[in-house]
Amino acid sequence: MTRDELAAFEDDIVASVGAEVGPERLAALAREHQAGVRDRPGVDNIVYEWRRQLPGDPLLRRTRAVYVLALPEGVWAEFLDELGADGQEAAALRRLHARQADRLLDSADTNGAANRPGDHAMLVLVRP
């Protein structure tokens, strides 16, 4: 059974971050983004490639359900372009990932935001 695309995103974070664009719209963008990664090239495959090709290890946390990564800013530009998201929607989607990543890292006793590289963008991927 495949996990829901939004399984890693907590409702309170979606609601608070989505205030400007609407929580339903933000959830739809997040779902579309996760589905796109699943379709091409696949969640596990893209994480493997990033870990192989990027300097340092972008993987901050891995569970059976989720990956939390810190990636170069350019990765988000590609995703947002594919989604056709810009302005408030793009900013909200990125904030959703950053806030959820911080919560997931904090709950894992990994020093949360302290382990987050300042020049990288946070990304949460739901494992199928």
Side-chain angles (χ1 to χ4, degrees):
M1 181 173 198
T2 303
R3 281 184 190 84
D4 182 87
E5 289 95 345
L6 299 182
F9 298 95
E10 296 173 49
D11 292 340
D12 67 313
I13 293 176
V14 175
S16 67
V17 172
E20 290 181 19
V21 298
E24 297 83 15
R25 177 63 183 143
L26 180 56
L29 280 170
R31 186 177 301 281
E32 184 180 346
H33 171 244
Q34 295 288 322
V37 173
R38 284 182 182 182
D39 290 344
R40 344 169 272 285
V43 175
D44 293 325
N45 290 339
I46 198 167
V47 171
Y48 173 78
E49 288 301 321
W50 285 331
R51 293 185 80 193
R52 242 184 76 227
Q53 295 176 2
L54 295 174
D57 190 353
L59 183 63
L60 300 179
R61 182 173 184 206
R62 173 183 48 213
T63 69
R64 295 179 82 197
V66 68
Y67 289 112
V68 178
L69 302 119
L71 299 167
E73 291 288 334
V75 173
W76 263 114
E78 281 184 48
F79 285 135
L80 295 171
D81 188 49
E82 285 180 21
L83 290 170
D86 59 9
Q88 287 183 327
E89 288 183 343
L93 186 59
R94 290 185 59 156
R95 274 194 313 275
L96 172 66
H97 280 263
R99 296 241 342 250
Q100 189 63 62
D102 283 345
R103 187 172 288 176
L104 289 165
L105 293 172
D106 286 343
S107 71
D109 279 338
T110 60
N111 272 340
N115 285 337
R116 181 176 149 175
D119 61 341
H120 283 65
M122 301 306 292
L123 183 68
V124 175
L125 292 177
V126 177
R127 297 178 79 181

